[in-house]
Amino acid sequence: MRFQLLGPLALADGPDTVVLQPSKPANLLAALLLHANSPVSAEYLQRAVWGEEQPATARAALQTCVLRLRRLFSKHGVTTSIDAVPGGYRITAAPPTLDLLGFRDRVRRAAGLDRDPEAELCALRDALSLWQGSLLANVRSVVLHRDEVPRLAEERLRAVERVCDLLLGLGRCGEALVDLWTATRVHPGHERFHEQLIEALYRSGRQSQALAEYRRVKGFLLEELGVDPSPSLRRLELAVLRGEDLGPAGPAAPRVIRGESVPLPAARPATALDAAPSTVSAAATGTALDAASATGPDAVTGTAQGVSPVTPQAASGVVAPGPTPVLPQGGPPVLPQGGPPVLPQGGPPVPAQGGPPAPAQGATPIAAPAPAAGTTFAPLAAPRIEPVPAVPHFTGRAAEAAALTARLTAPPPPGPEDHRPLTVLVSGAPGIGKSALAQHAARLVRDAFPAGQLLVRMTRADGEPRPAGEVVAEVAAALAASGEGRAVLILDDVVDADQVRPLLTLRGEAGAGPGPAVVVTSRMGLGGLIATHGGWVQRLTTFTETESYALLLTALGAERVEAEPRAARRLAAVCGHFPAALRILTARLLTRPGLRLADAADWLGDDPLARLTLTDSPDHSVTGLFDRALGRLDPRLSEAFTHLAQGPPTLLDDRGPDDDGPVPEAVREQLADAGLLEDGPPGPYRIHDLLRAHVRRTARIRDRRTEKV
């Protein structure tokens, strides 16, 4: 159970939400939650509940409101208590139980990710997703709306500012525009949003619209407030009028932690490349220097802008031909004419306007050419290629693992020198264990691939697919830096075939011999890729009863499981033998070693969807997994799947070519290809029980209930 303040005041249990109707106890609860974990004086609470003019019986009425809230908590199973303290009351909460604390906690975590703009962006968007509408819309307290709501709204605006700064810094101006059009219209007096909007329009090549937006905000400020635009807005207008290069976008907005502004490092100044063709821009150099440590033997002595410089080898992991940069005292590195720039770790510079990265040259070490005059660069996200990690407690899938390792170690098929590499597709439903199987198999065959085993993440932290060109550049750099022999690549969570095809043309060391072996994991069937490029498909289904029991044995220990074997099998059955559900369950049981498995089975069986989640990490949940999978669907497919899941199983029966029923066969095929329909029996397809229950539950609580306190 958790409290929701960032929107209408509500109590939530999983997807079930109770929105409180306006009342005096609702005012009291909001006032306590706004100051959670701190004593709140009775005088302040009385003003929050009744306003500045209070009845003579306010103190006694306050005690009555507390009693009514305690009864409400008891009714809905809320374990949080309202404690009486000297002079007032206190309510205890934590980030998982109060969305306001959760928002601040996620913003604080994002503040520690400034080296990885993509991860910071994802963390901030995750924090902003907790806001569910107008703040405290159902709380009728003049004091709270006057004193507290503006302060909380400012915290949100600071986070939105930071999101837009990160999008501009990453060169994703189109995405920034979506947020900024709304923000500038809802908050017309917030000049920073207007400044970001004008910059995003100008960087997108829409100079006339940028100038029109400046004139609009200037008119608003003069007419409504009688003031001129800020100096930064006027400087931006002048740069747009002159058509100047703005240089790399730099996130300069302050972060907000618990309502306090935390200044960020100032953006590095840009250096005009056309003024000195052999000089790397300070901003691009700074990004490169930040990307790697300078403590190794290849580090160059000296400093540049206060950051320890590194050689191209230390920065990118790839030996780039050409002379070593000369570092003048106190200035940016200067390369001899024609020398390559220092590359940030993870690949070549990315143009700020969203241009494609430099094309890969097979196995040739990547060295970016000297930048053209006027080129600007955006900060790069941390590389998403890493050595394949070990899979803890890998259990089951013996036949699948044996077949996969046999395919990977089989001799390359005969053919021309430029034949396509061996490709294996591991597909199946979300959470079915595709990545675990691929990583486990890659580590089993590591002796056959001396050049290494690389895990390539094909989606960003927010679930968006990565552009194929971006991945090709990173993979080519990684292969160029690998040792002799073949490598194996795991392309994890591929969204469509177009992401994969460019990677199947990469060559081995110096272009000789077969290219790397490629293992693709995807929820999609990717039949088009197999048809055009060949390969072998391993489609995964749920565990067998034996495999589920073996997983519990491995994760929980034989002593605990074999003491209650029937209860262990009940737990596996409640989880539907679904690997992700079993992993979450074992994690919960490991944190409660004294809990009997029989008691856990009874507890889980009451509401498996709500309880198959990790309380300290709500993102790790079965419902979250299903929500993210359904969120990737085309809206029409999502609607069709909801219809199938809510209806009887006979909707999935094969009615023949002349009777498609309410959901045509072609639509069912697409849902099966997306991993949401499993192979029968009965019928050609079926829906996993947990997924069906999730869809039905989501549909039931789509309209929020209201309750009077």
Side-chain angles (χ1 to χ4, degrees):
M1 185 69 70
R2 66 185 184 277
F3 298 101
Q4 293 182 346
L5 271 178
L6 305 180
L9 180 63
L11 302 178
D13 183 8
D16 292 321
T17 303
V18 176
V19 179
L20 304 184
Q21 289 188 353
S23 63
K24 296 296 189 293
N27 293 358
L28 172 61
L29 179 59
L32 288 169
L33 290 174
L34 286 168
H35 302 276
N37 304 317
S38 299
V40 186
S41 70
E43 289 76 12
Y44 174 82
L45 293 175
Q46 289 168 201
R47 287 194 297 111
V49 174
W50 286 280
E52 301 298 343
E53 297 183 3
Q54 304 165 25
T57 59
R59 183 170 291 274
L62 182 65
Q63 295 174 353
T64 302
C65 289
V66 171
L67 290 176
R68 290 172 64 182
L69 284 177
R70 287 170 175 167
R71 292 193 193 104
L72 177 71
F73 289 2
S74 177
K75 176 181 177 181
H76 291 284
V78 179
T79 57
T80 301
S81 62
I82 300 176
D83 301 319
V85 297
Y89 294 91
R90 178 179 58 205
I91 193 170
T92 303
T97 58
L98 177 57
D99 59 359
L100 175 59
L101 298 182
F103 169 76
R104 289 169 172 167
D105 182 64
R106 296 180 192 190
V107 170
R108 184 183 297 105
R109 293 183 189 179
L113 298 173
D114 55 332
R115 296 283 184 174
D116 187 346
E118 285 283 3
E120 184 183 357
L121 176 63
C122 181
L124 284 174
R125 281 185 160 163
D126 186 37
L128 289 168
S129 69
L130 296 175
W131 290 73
Q132 300 295 322
S134 182
L135 197 63
L136 299 181
N138 56 336
V139 174
R140 304 291 190 260
S141 171
V142 174
V143 171
L144 295 183
H145 281 276
R146 181 194 65 199
D147 299 339
E148 302 293 344
V149 168
R151 177 174 58 82
L152 296 182
E154 185 63 23
E155 290 189 46
R156 179 182 178 276
L157 292 181
R158 296 282 186 172
V160 174
E161 282 182 17
R162 179 63 181 168
V163 165
C164 295
D165 273 324
L166 289 168
L167 289 171
L168 291 173
L170 290 166
R172 291 154 62 176
C173 297
E175 292 181 52
L177 285 172
V178 175
D179 294 327
L180 289 168
W181 283 122
T182 301
T184 52
R185 272 52 183 173
V186 175
H187 306 281
H190 198 97
E191 289 189 65
R192 176 59 183 154
F193 285 145
H194 292 285
E195 186 177 342
Q196 290 172 316
L197 176 59
I198 293 168
E199 180 180 346
L201 288 168
Y202 183 55
R203 289 183 182 275
S204 301
R206 297 153 72 173
Q207 183 182 24
S208 59
Q209 283 184 270
L211 291 171
E213 180 63 22
Y214 175 81
R215 289 192 294 270
R216 195 188 72 81
V217 67
K218 180 180 180 181
F220 171 83
L221 293 173
L222 287 173
E223 293 174 13
E224 299 294 328
L225 304 175
V227 298
D228 290 321
S230 64
S232 59
L233 260 176
R234 296 200 297 270
R235 286 194 297 270
L236 181 59
E237 181 218 15
L238 187 60
V240 174
L241 284 171
R242 293 174 174 174
E244 295 177 353
D245 181 2
L246 298 182
R255 292 197 183 90
V256 176
I257 300 174
R258 296 183 61 84
E260 299 176 1
S261 298
V262 180
L264 295 172
R268 296 184 178 90
T271 302
L273 298 179
D274 51 345
S278 61
T279 303
V280 183
S281 82
T285 305
T287 303
L289 297 178
D290 287 347
S293 169
T295 57
D298 294 331
V300 179
T301 304
T303 59
Q305 299 185 2
V307 183
S308 299
V310 294
T311 62
Q313 294 93 326
S316 65
V318 180
V319 178
T324 301
V326 179
L327 299 178
Q329 185 67 28
V334 179
L335 297 177
Q337 186 69 27
V342 178
L343 297 182
Q345 185 176 0
V350 179
Q353 299 295 338
Q361 300 292 329
T364 305
I366 292 181
T375 304
T376 59
F377 298 93
L380 291 178
R384 301 196 179 275
I385 299 180
E386 59 180 307
V388 173
V391 181
H393 304 309
F394 185 86
T395 308
R397 308 290 193 206
E400 293 88 343
L404 184 53
T405 55
R407 292 280 179 177
L408 291 174
T409 55
E417 183 179 348
D418 61 347
H419 70 273
R420 299 185 180 97
L422 171 67
T423 305
V424 179
L425 169 63
V426 182
S427 64
I432 206 68
K434 303 178 292 294
S435 300
L437 174 63
Q439 294 173 31
H440 179 68
R443 290 182 66 86
L444 289 177
V445 300
R446 56 183 177 271
D447 291 342
F449 295 92
Q453 305 84 43
L454 299 177
L455 177 65
V456 185
R457 304 191 187 281
M458 302 297 287
T459 54
R460 304 188 191 279
D462 58 1
E464 287 297 311
R466 300 178 65 203
E470 173 187 311
V471 180
V472 165
E474 290 186 5
V475 171
L479 290 177
S482 62
E484 297 181 356
R486 297 182 71 199
V488 59
L489 301 177
I490 297 178
L491 308 182
D492 193 42
D493 198 14
V494 168
V495 176
D496 56 48
D498 290 338
Q499 273 191 304
V500 179
R501 289 191 176 101
L503 291 163
L504 300 183
T505 60
L506 297 177
R507 308 299 301 145
E509 177 69 25
V518 178
V519 180
V520 175
T521 73
S522 178
R523 301 173 187 178
M524 307 300 295
L526 302 184
L529 178 70
I530 299 299
T532 58
H533 286 68
W536 178 72
V537 179
Q538 175 68 66
R539 190 170 182 87
L540 301 183
T541 59
T542 55
F543 277 161
T544 63
E545 292 184 13
T546 302
E547 289 175 324
S548 297
Y549 189 80
L551 174 59
L552 295 177
L553 276 173
T554 304
L556 301 178
E559 181 179 356
R560 188 176 183 184
V561 173
E562 290 179 349
E564 299 180 83
R566 296 181 64 180
R569 289 188 170 88
R570 280 178 57 205
L571 283 170
V574 173
C575 291
H577 304 288
F578 200 71
L582 288 166
R583 289 289 183 186
I584 293 171
L585 170 67
T586 55
R588 295 206 68 166
L589 291 176
L590 284 170
T591 63
R592 303 180 67 181
L595 181 64
R596 294 176 60 249
L597 298 189
D599 294 336
D602 294 337
W603 169 79
L604 182 62
D606 289 341
D607 194 352
L609 284 174
R611 290 168 177 171
L612 284 172
T613 183
L614 301 181
T615 55
D616 62 337
S617 182
D619 291 338
H620 289 82
S621 67
V622 170
T623 56
L625 177 69
F626 290 157
D627 280 336
R628 290 189 291 272
L630 294 172
R632 285 191 183 182
L633 286 180
D634 180 277
R636 291 170 296 180
L637 283 179
S638 180
E639 182 179 354
F641 183 72
T642 300
H643 183 76
L644 289 173
Q646 289 184 272
T650 54
L651 286 180
L652 296 171
D653 290 345
D654 187 2
R655 301 169 181 264
D658 298 329
D659 185 7
D660 275 337
V663 179
E665 181 180 0
V667 175
R668 284 178 276 164
E669 285 287 328
Q670 292 180 61
L671 291 171
D673 189 62
L676 297 176
L677 297 183
E678 302 176 346
D679 294 336
Y685 298 118
R686 59 186 173 87
I687 300 176
H688 191 277
D689 290 341
L690 283 178
L691 183 53
R692 184 186 292 274
H694 171 72
V695 174
R696 289 179 173 178
R697 181 175 185 173
T698 302
R700 283 198 307 270
I701 55 95
R702 189 170 297 155
D703 297 327
R704 289 182 168 183
R705 298 179 288 115
T706 62
E707 179 165 327
K708 185 175 180 180
V709 182

